[in-house]
Amino acid sequence: MECISVFDMLKIGVGPSSSHTLGPWRAAERFLKELRKEKSIDLINRIQVDLYGSLSLTGKGHATDLAVMLGLSGADPEYIPVESIDVIISAIKNKHEIFLGNEIIIPFNPETDIIFNRNFLPFHANGLTFTAFFENDSYSLTYYSIGGGFVVTEDENNRNEEIKCAFPYPIDKASELLAYCEQENKSISEIVYANECSMRSEEFVHSELMRIWDTMLECMYIGCHTEGILPGGLNVRRRAYDMHKNLIGVLPYEDPYSWLQIIRQTEVKFRQILKWVSCFALAVNEVNASLGRVVTAPTNGSAGVIPAVLMYYMVIENHEANEKQIKQFLMVAGEIGSIFKKGATISAAMGGCQAEIGVSSAMAAAALCEVMGGTPEQVLMAAEIAMEHHLGLTCDPIGGLVQVPCIERNTMGAIKAINAAELALETDAKNAKVPLDKVVNTMWETAKDMNSKYKETSEGGLAVGVNLTDC
């Protein structure tokens, strides 16, 4: 079994896409690392990057070209000051050179050294090849960005099938997770915590989970306090700012945590709840669309669902919620996401948007269900309900940008997650007709049947039904 940690499913990085931005960025970092092992980086004359399939078809809109430049420059997506991104990219474009790995300056022209190949490589829809040229030699490696910021080579993927998981509770399927819960008389979050602590110290698990939450909270805060037009050419106006302004009123606050406390004091009628949840989700994905820092959950395109639902729980459902519930929520969400990754996909280029918004909604529904007192059976049922009503959702971004319909879809995924959790909490799970594993399998079969033009290519659906001139 493959060991997938919560910290694999919830990564901190830069938008707008985990598979098209974060993945290629990490692939560039890996290529530099291999170069240093195999060759002398000081002798490189030129670097060429070939993008294939979905990475090529929507690469411009998803900032794939920018990501590989940043990765080759040695910048880290988790820690780079986002305000320095434009500075680095402008320097490369204007000077036609790159400071490779922060070690050596070489010629680099993005217009000729990043090649957009429309054909697909056989292994995965998101392929990219890096080639370093020397005086009498060259060195190439091909990577695949398989969703959620995960990057593999074809050889690594084949070897992974033989690796045995070292977790005390190895899990591939929901049925196995439930069996451990029954056997150990533990909640899902307790099983996940035991797995995480078998690899890391309790202090590390605690601090990293809280760092993830702090990043989510800051992202919502930034999105709710930033107005204007999103980059990319669609002229999409940010909506979280105006929505937040109307909801928050004149109550004073000075930082994300005091903001959270103030929101708890606002009116919570049904319409206001819908607006707050939508506002939180919009805020995250507007930050994501502008190359801001988000938490991949499980992807960047679906990064708003989990923060919005967790914030809903903290400001609407449980004003006493603290670090314990935050960690519980994130661990359950991460585990559900890993089950979908192992049994299906979290890559829209392979499965359409059901693999992103659908999975994130299932993750959030399960997590909310547990912190609201649901049994393990009800938690898995909540995940199943959420995904069941996202089956077949296509990925057809207009202009290849993670904006329309992506941003609004996060609001829908969040609302569905809350509804799914409530339905599961009001149901005797013994009467469930559809187990989660069946839905995971159905999602994968649906993905395989889906026409490729609806899998993050911008060659079908809204992407061709709406012209850029209409925007």
Side-chain angles (χ1 to χ4, degrees):
M1 294 184 182
E2 185 182 1
C3 284
I4 298 179
S5 166
V6 170
F7 306 114
D8 293 322
M9 297 306 303
L10 305 174
K11 301 183 181 78
I12 298 172
V14 172
S17 170
S18 51
S19 58
H20 288 58
T21 314
L22 181 58
W25 194 326
R26 291 300 190 195
E29 290 180 317
R30 287 190 56 182
F31 180 63
L32 286 179
K33 186 176 180 180
E34 292 300 318
L35 263 180
R36 293 185 180 103
K37 287 182 185 177
E38 302 294 331
K39 301 283 185 178
S40 174
I41 200 168
D42 294 335
L43 300 178
I44 294 174
N45 294 327
R46 185 170 71 88
I47 291 277
Q48 179 176 302
V49 185
D50 284 87
L51 306 177
Y52 296 94
S54 181
L55 289 185
S56 172
L57 293 168
T58 62
K60 287 283 187 180
H62 285 62
T64 306
D65 50 344
L66 308 188
V68 296
M69 285 189 273
L70 291 163
L72 290 173
S73 298
D76 187 325
E78 193 166 343
Y79 297 102
I80 183 176
V82 291
E83 61 272 14
S84 70
I85 290 176
D86 283 343
V87 176
I88 297 172
I89 296 300
S90 295
I92 296 171
K93 289 183 175 180
N94 293 335
K95 297 179 180 179
H96 286 176
E97 60 185 28
I98 193 168
F99 192 14
L100 190 65
N102 279 319
E103 293 182 38
I104 179 176
I105 296 176
I106 63 169
F108 189 87
N109 184 350
E111 295 299 320
T112 55
D113 292 324
I114 300 178
I115 300 172
F116 292 80
N117 301 280
R118 297 181 65 86
N119 58 301
F120 287 71
L121 298 180
F123 177 71
H124 193 279
N126 290 333
L128 69 166
T129 300
F130 295 88
T131 304
F133 294 92
F134 303 86
E135 186 173 351
N136 297 309
D137 193 12
S138 64
Y139 179 74
S140 295
L141 281 174
T142 297
Y143 297 94
Y144 299 90
S145 181
I146 61 174
F150 288 86
V151 176
V152 299
T153 64
E154 192 166 354
D155 287 343
E156 285 172 340
N157 187 76
N158 294 333
R159 289 200 302 271
N160 278 343
E161 294 177 356
E162 301 170 3
I163 296 174
K164 297 299 180 182
C165 189
F167 282 160
Y169 304 111
I171 297 159
D172 265 354
K173 298 181 179 179
S175 58
E176 295 165 347
L177 174 58
L178 184 58
Y180 287 130
C181 291
E182 293 173 348
Q183 172 188 308
E184 303 295 329
N185 193 27
K186 292 180 182 291
S187 66
I188 288 175
S189 61
E190 288 172 330
I191 293 293
V192 177
Y193 187 67
N195 279 343
E196 293 297 333
C197 290
S198 72
M199 300 172 61
R200 306 171 174 91
S201 69
E202 291 187 15
E203 292 78 9
F204 180 89
V205 173
H206 168 82
S207 63
E208 283 301 290
L209 286 172
M210 292 311 300
R211 189 165 73 95
I212 287 168
W213 164 242
D214 286 343
T215 303
M216 288 179 170
L217 180 60
E218 182 180 43
C219 185
M220 287 184 280
Y221 186 83
I222 291 170
C224 284
H225 294 84
T226 306
E227 57 182 330
I229 304 296
L230 293 173
L234 286 183
N235 296 316
V236 173
R237 177 178 171 80
R238 291 176 181 261
R239 283 181 284 176
Y241 178 88
D242 292 330
M243 188 177 288
H244 172 262
K245 186 177 179 180
N246 291 332
L247 287 165
I248 199 71
V250 295
L251 296 171
Y253 55 89
E254 56 187 23
D255 56 39
Y257 273 91
S258 62
W259 175 61
L260 186 154
Q261 296 298 334
I262 288 298
I263 295 173
R264 286 173 167 169
Q265 300 175 32
T266 61
E267 192 174 31
V268 289
K269 292 179 180 178
F270 182 69
R271 285 189 67 195
Q272 278 71 34
I273 294 172
L274 282 176
K275 290 177 182 179
W276 271 121
V277 174
S278 297
C279 181
F280 298 143
L282 287 174
V284 171
N285 286 84
E286 287 172 356
V287 170
N288 179 64
S290 55
L291 275 78
R293 179 161 286 113
V294 300
V295 176
T296 296
T299 68
N300 283 30
S302 61
V305 176
I306 288 170
V309 175
L310 178 48
M311 191 69 161
Y312 158 81
Y313 173 72
M314 296 188 70
V315 301
I316 304 295
E317 287 296 331
N318 183 3
H319 287 191
E320 304 303 316
N322 54 32
E323 292 181 351
K324 176 184 176 182
Q325 286 82 21
I326 292 170
K327 293 187 292 183
Q328 188 180 357
F329 191 104
L330 295 176
M331 286 189 289
V332 173
E335 186 59 45
I336 296 301
S338 75
I339 289 172
F340 276 99
K341 184 183 183 303
K342 292 169 185 173
T345 182
I346 57 170
S347 167
M350 294 296 287
C353 199
Q354 61 175 352
E356 297 203 19
I357 295 295
V359 173
S360 65
S361 187
M363 292 165 69
L368 180 62
C369 187
E370 177 167 307
V371 295
M372 292 181 67
T375 64
E377 293 89 350
Q378 289 173 320
V379 169
L380 297 180
M381 186 180 188
E384 177 274 316
I385 293 170
M387 173 50 78
E388 185 178 326
H389 300 288
H390 282 93
L391 288 173
L393 186 62
T394 61
C395 181
D396 51 358
I398 297 175
L401 296 163
V402 192
Q403 296 181 19
V404 182
C406 319
I407 295 174
E408 283 183 354
R409 280 187 180 171
N410 279 263
T411 72
M412 300 300 174
I415 297 299
K416 283 186 180 182
I418 295 168
N419 194 17
E422 291 292 353
L423 286 171
L425 287 166
E426 293 299 320
T427 303
D428 183 344
K430 294 178 182 177
N431 297 324
K433 301 297 183 184
V434 184
L436 178 56
D437 288 328
K438 291 289 186 182
V439 168
V440 173
N441 184 64
T442 299
M443 177 200 146
W444 182 228
E445 292 302 318
T446 304
K448 290 188 286 185
D449 288 341
M450 189 181 291
N451 191 299
S452 62
K453 69 182 181 181
Y454 297 115
K455 297 179 182 180
E456 208 167 6
T457 61
S458 288
E459 293 186 325
L462 287 173
V464 296
V466 180
N467 296 319
L468 288 178
T469 54
D470 297 328
C471 301

